[in-house]
Coordinates of all heavy atoms in Angstrom, one line a residue:
Y1213 N 7.1 60.9 -93.6 CA 7.6 59.6 -93.2 C 6.8 58.5 -94.0 O 7.4 57.5 -94.4 CB 7.4 59.4 -91.7 CG 8.4 60.1 -90.8 CD1 8.0 60.8 -89.7 CD2 9.7 60.0 -91.1 CE1 8.9 61.5 -88.9 CE2 10.7 60.6 -90.2 CZ 10.2 61.3 -89.2 OH 11.2 62.0 -88.4
R1214 N 5.5 58.7 -94.1 CA 4.7 57.7 -94.9 C 5.1 57.7 -96.3 O 5.2 56.6 -96.9 CB 3.2 58.1 -94.8 CG 2.6 57.9 -93.3 CD 1.1 57.9 -93.4 NE 0.5 58.0 -92.1 CZ 0.4 57.0 -91.2 NH1 0.8 55.8 -91.5 NH2 -0.2 57.2 -90.1
I1215 N 5.4 58.8 -96.9 CA 5.9 58.8 -98.3 C 7.2 58.0 -98.4 O 7.5 57.2 -99.3 CB 6.0 60.2 -98.9 CG1 4.7 60.9 -99.0 CG2 6.7 60.2 -100.2 CD1 4.7 62.4 -99.3
A1216 N 8.1 58.3 -97.4 CA 9.4 57.6 -97.4 C 9.2 56.1 -97.4 O 9.9 55.4 -98.1 CB 10.3 58.1 -96.3
L1217 N 8.3 55.7 -96.5 CA 8.0 54.2 -96.4 C 7.4 53.6 -97.6 O 7.5 52.5 -97.9 CB 7.2 54.0 -95.1 CG 8.0 54.2 -93.8 CD1 7.0 54.2 -92.6 CD2 9.1 53.2 -93.6
S1218 N 6.6 54.4 -98.3 CA 6.0 53.9 -99.5 C 7.0 53.7 -100.6 O 6.9 52.8 -101.5 CB 4.9 54.9 -100.1 OG 5.5 56.1 -100.6
L1219 N 8.1 54.5 -100.5 CA 9.2 54.3 -101.5 C 10.2 53.3 -101.0 O 10.9 52.7 -101.9 CB 9.9 55.7 -101.7 CG 9.0 56.8 -102.3 CD1 9.7 58.2 -102.1 CD2 8.8 56.5 -103.7
W1220 N 10.3 53.1 -99.7 CA 11.3 52.2 -99.1 C 10.6 51.5 -97.9 O 10.8 51.9 -96.8 CB 12.6 52.9 -98.8 CG 13.7 52.0 -98.2 CD1 13.7 50.7 -98.1 CD2 14.9 52.5 -97.7 NE1 14.9 50.2 -97.6 CE2 15.7 51.3 -97.3 CE3 15.5 53.7 -97.6 CZ2 16.9 51.4 -96.8 CZ3 16.8 53.8 -97.0 CH2 17.5 52.6 -96.6
P1221 N 9.9 50.4 -98.1 CA 9.1 49.8 -97.0 C 9.9 49.3 -95.8 O 9.4 49.2 -94.7 CB 8.4 48.7 -97.7 CG 8.3 49.1 -99.1 CD 9.6 49.8 -99.4
D1222 N 11.2 49.0 -96.1 CA 12.0 48.5 -95.0 C 13.0 49.6 -94.4 O 14.0 49.3 -93.8 CB 12.9 47.3 -95.5 CG 12.1 46.1 -95.7 OD1 10.9 46.0 -95.2 OD2 12.5 45.2 -96.4
Y1223 N 12.5 50.8 -94.5 CA 13.4 51.9 -93.9 C 13.1 52.0 -92.4 O 12.2 52.5 -91.9 CB 12.9 53.2 -94.6 CG 13.9 54.4 -94.5 CD1 13.8 55.4 -95.4 CD2 14.9 54.4 -93.5 CE1 14.7 56.5 -95.4 CE2 15.8 55.5 -93.5 CZ 15.7 56.5 -94.4 OH 16.6 57.5 -94.3
A1224 N 14.1 51.3 -91.7 CA 13.9 51.1 -90.2 C 13.7 52.4 -89.5 O 12.8 52.5 -88.7 CB 15.0 50.3 -89.7
S1225 N 14.6 53.4 -89.7 CA 14.5 54.6 -88.9 C 13.2 55.4 -89.2 O 12.7 56.1 -88.3 CB 15.7 55.5 -89.2 OG 16.9 54.8 -88.7
A1226 N 12.7 55.3 -90.4 CA 11.5 56.0 -90.8 C 10.3 55.4 -90.0 O 9.4 56.1 -89.5 CB 11.2 55.9 -92.3
H1227 N 10.3 54.0 -89.9 CA 9.3 53.3 -89.1 C 9.3 53.8 -87.7 O 8.3 54.1 -87.1 CB 9.5 51.8 -89.2 CG 8.9 51.2 -90.4 ND1 7.6 51.0 -90.7 CD2 9.5 50.6 -91.5 CE1 7.4 50.4 -91.8 NE2 8.6 50.1 -92.3
N1228 N 10.5 53.8 -87.1 CA 10.7 54.2 -85.7 C 10.3 55.6 -85.5 O 9.5 55.9 -84.5 CB 12.2 54.1 -85.3 CG 12.4 54.5 -83.9 OD1 12.0 53.8 -82.9 ND2 13.1 55.6 -83.7
N1229 N 10.7 56.6 -86.3 CA 10.4 58.0 -86.1 C 8.9 58.2 -86.3 O 8.3 59.0 -85.6 CB 11.2 58.9 -87.0 CG 12.7 58.9 -86.6 OD1 13.1 58.1 -85.7 ND2 13.4 59.8 -87.2
L1230 N 8.3 57.5 -87.3 CA 6.8 57.7 -87.5 C 6.1 57.2 -86.2 O 5.1 57.8 -85.8 CB 6.4 56.9 -88.7 CG 4.9 56.8 -89.0 CD1 4.3 58.2 -89.2 CD2 4.6 55.9 -90.2
G1231 N 6.5 56.1 -85.7 CA 5.9 55.5 -84.5 C 5.8 56.5 -83.3 O 4.8 56.5 -82.6
T1232 N 6.9 57.3 -83.2 CA 6.9 58.3 -82.1 C 5.9 59.4 -82.2 O 5.6 60.1 -81.2 CB 8.3 58.9 -81.9 OG1 8.6 59.7 -83.1 CG2 9.4 57.9 -81.7
L1233 N 5.4 59.6 -83.4 CA 4.4 60.7 -83.7 C 3.0 60.3 -83.7 O 2.1 61.1 -83.6 CB 4.8 61.4 -85.0 CG 6.1 62.1 -85.1 CD1 6.3 62.7 -86.5 CD2 6.3 63.1 -84.0
L1234 N 2.7 59.0 -83.8 CA 1.3 58.5 -84.0 C 0.6 58.5 -82.6 O 1.2 58.1 -81.6 CB 1.4 57.1 -84.6 CG 2.0 57.0 -86.0 CD1 2.1 55.6 -86.4 CD2 1.1 57.8 -87.0
T1235 N -0.7 58.8 -82.7 CA -1.5 58.8 -81.5 C -2.2 57.5 -81.2 O -2.6 57.2 -80.1 CB -2.6 59.9 -81.6 OG1 -3.4 59.7 -82.8 CG2 -2.0 61.3 -81.6
D1236 N -2.3 56.7 -82.3 CA -2.9 55.3 -82.1 C -1.8 54.4 -81.6 O -0.8 54.1 -82.3 CB -3.4 54.8 -83.5 CG -4.0 53.5 -83.4 OD1 -3.8 52.8 -82.3 OD2 -4.7 53.0 -84.3
P1237 N -1.9 53.9 -80.3 CA -0.8 53.1 -79.8 C -0.6 51.8 -80.6 O 0.6 51.3 -80.6 CB -1.2 52.8 -78.3 CG -2.7 53.1 -78.3 CD -2.9 54.1 -79.4
R1238 N -1.6 51.2 -81.1 CA -1.5 50.0 -81.9 C -0.6 50.2 -83.1 O 0.2 49.4 -83.5 CB -2.8 49.4 -82.2 CG -3.6 48.8 -81.0 CD -5.0 48.4 -81.3 NE -5.8 49.5 -81.8 CZ -7.0 49.4 -82.1 NH1 -7.7 48.3 -82.1 NH2 -7.7 50.5 -82.5
E1239 N -0.9 51.3 -83.8 CA -0.2 51.6 -85.1 C 1.3 51.9 -84.7 O 2.2 51.5 -85.4 CB -0.8 52.7 -85.8 CG -0.2 52.9 -87.2 CD -0.8 54.1 -88.0 OE1 -1.7 54.8 -87.5 OE2 -0.4 54.3 -89.1
A1240 N 1.5 52.7 -83.6 CA 2.8 53.0 -83.2 C 3.6 51.7 -82.9 O 4.8 51.5 -83.3 CB 2.8 53.9 -82.0
E1241 N 3.0 50.8 -82.1 CA 3.6 49.5 -81.8 C 4.0 48.8 -83.0 O 5.1 48.2 -83.1 CB 2.6 48.7 -80.9 CG 3.2 47.4 -80.5 CD 2.2 46.6 -79.7 OE1 1.0 46.9 -79.7 OE2 2.6 45.5 -79.1
H1242 N 3.1 48.8 -84.0 CA 3.4 48.1 -85.3 C 4.7 48.6 -85.9 O 5.6 47.8 -86.3 CB 2.2 48.2 -86.3 CG 2.6 47.9 -87.7 ND1 2.8 46.6 -88.1 CD2 2.8 48.7 -88.8 CE1 3.1 46.6 -89.4 NE2 3.1 47.9 -89.8
H1243 N 4.8 49.9 -86.0 CA 6.0 50.5 -86.6 C 7.3 50.3 -85.8 O 8.3 50.0 -86.4 CB 5.8 52.0 -86.9 CG 4.9 52.3 -88.0 ND1 5.2 52.2 -89.3 CD2 3.6 52.7 -88.0 CE1 4.2 52.5 -90.1 NE2 3.2 52.8 -89.4
F1244 N 7.2 50.3 -84.5 CA 8.4 50.0 -83.7 C 8.8 48.5 -83.9 O 10.0 48.2 -84.0 CB 8.1 50.2 -82.2 CG 7.9 51.7 -81.9 CD1 6.9 52.0 -80.9 CD2 8.6 52.7 -82.5 CE1 6.7 53.3 -80.6 CE2 8.4 54.0 -82.2 CZ 7.4 54.3 -81.2
Q1245 N 7.8 47.6 -84.0 CA 8.1 46.2 -84.2 C 8.7 45.9 -85.6 O 9.6 45.1 -85.7 CB 6.9 45.3 -84.0 CG 6.4 45.2 -82.5 CD 5.1 44.5 -82.3 OE1 4.3 44.5 -83.3 NE2 4.9 44.0 -81.1
V1246 N 8.2 46.6 -86.6 CA 8.8 46.5 -87.9 C 10.2 47.0 -87.9 O 11.1 46.4 -88.5 CB 8.0 47.3 -89.0 CG1 8.7 47.4 -90.3 CG2 6.6 46.7 -89.2
T1247 N 10.5 48.1 -87.2 CA 11.9 48.6 -87.1 C 12.8 47.5 -86.5 O 13.9 47.3 -87.1 CB 11.9 49.8 -86.1 OG1 11.0 50.8 -86.6 CG2 13.3 50.4 -86.0
I1248 N 12.4 46.8 -85.5 CA 13.2 45.8 -84.9 C 13.3 44.6 -85.8 O 14.4 44.0 -85.9 CB 12.6 45.4 -83.5 CG1 12.8 46.5 -82.5 CG2 13.2 44.1 -83.0 CD1 12.0 46.4 -81.2
S1249 N 12.3 44.2 -86.5 CA 12.4 43.1 -87.4 C 13.4 43.4 -88.6 O 14.1 42.5 -89.0 CB 11.0 42.8 -88.0 OG 10.5 43.8 -88.9
V1250 N 13.4 44.6 -89.0 CA 14.4 45.0 -90.1 C 15.8 45.2 -89.5 O 16.8 44.8 -90.1 CB 13.9 46.4 -90.7 CG1 15.0 46.9 -91.7 CG2 12.6 46.2 -91.4
N1251 N 15.8 45.8 -88.3 CA 17.1 46.0 -87.7 C 17.1 45.6 -86.2 O 16.7 46.4 -85.3 CB 17.5 47.5 -87.8 CG 18.9 47.8 -87.1 OD1 19.5 46.9 -86.6 ND2 19.2 49.1 -87.1
P1252 N 17.4 44.4 -85.9 CA 17.3 43.8 -84.5 C 18.2 44.6 -83.5 O 18.1 44.3 -82.3 CB 17.7 42.4 -84.7 CG 17.6 42.1 -86.1 CD 17.9 43.3 -86.8
L1253 N 19.1 45.4 -83.9 CA 20.0 46.2 -83.0 C 19.6 47.6 -83.0 O 20.4 48.5 -82.6 CB 21.4 46.0 -83.5 CG 22.0 44.6 -83.4 CD1 23.4 44.5 -83.9 CD2 21.9 44.0 -82.0
H1254 N 18.3 48.0 -83.3 CA 17.9 49.4 -83.2 C 17.5 49.7 -81.8 O 16.3 49.5 -81.4 CB 16.7 49.6 -84.2 CG 16.5 51.0 -84.6 ND1 16.1 52.0 -83.7 CD2 16.6 51.6 -85.8 CE1 15.9 53.1 -84.3 NE2 16.2 52.9 -85.6
A1255 N 18.4 50.2 -81.0 CA 18.2 50.4 -79.6 C 17.0 51.3 -79.3 O 16.2 51.1 -78.4 CB 19.5 51.0 -78.9
R1256 N 16.9 52.4 -80.1 CA 15.8 53.4 -79.8 C 14.4 52.8 -80.0 O 13.5 53.2 -79.4 CB 16.0 54.6 -80.6 CG 15.1 55.8 -80.2 CD 15.7 57.1 -80.6 NE 16.8 57.5 -79.8 CZ 16.7 58.1 -78.6 NH1 15.5 58.4 -78.1 NH2 17.8 58.5 -77.9
A1257 N 14.3 51.8 -81.0 CA 13.0 51.2 -81.2 C 12.6 50.4 -80.0 O 11.5 50.4 -79.5 CB 13.0 50.3 -82.4
Y1258 N 13.6 49.6 -79.4 CA 13.3 48.9 -78.1 C 12.9 49.9 -77.0 O 12.0 49.6 -76.2 CB 14.6 48.1 -77.7 CG 14.8 46.9 -78.5 CD1 15.8 46.9 -79.6 CD2 14.2 45.7 -78.3 CE1 16.0 45.8 -80.3 CE2 14.4 44.5 -79.0 CZ 15.3 44.6 -80.1 OH 15.6 43.5 -80.8

């Protein structure tokens, strides 16, 4: 997921799916918020 994001920083679904696997809640929150900023209609990120 991190490699995908290094190649495409605005890949919303990659941000969301990465967030679900991270143990650091602050980092997970960051990736979910990026998902929403890229795609405001991403229901699963909300």
Side-chain angles (χ1 to χ4, degrees):
Y1213 282 133
R1214 292 196 192 279
I1215 294 172
L1217 289 170
S1218 71
L1219 296 168
W1220 183 5
D1222 287 343
Y1223 199 160
S1225 292
H1227 279 289
N1228 178 69
N1229 289 9
L1230 175 59
T1232 64
L1233 297 180
L1234 297 171
T1235 56
D1236 181 346
R1238 289 173 298 182
E1239 191 182 359
E1241 181 182 12
H1242 164 74
H1243 284 285
F1244 296 142
Q1245 287 175 338
V1246 172
T1247 304
I1248 290 168
S1249 69
V1250 174
N1251 179 3
L1253 297 179
H1254 199 297
R1256 192 158 285 276
Y1258 285 98

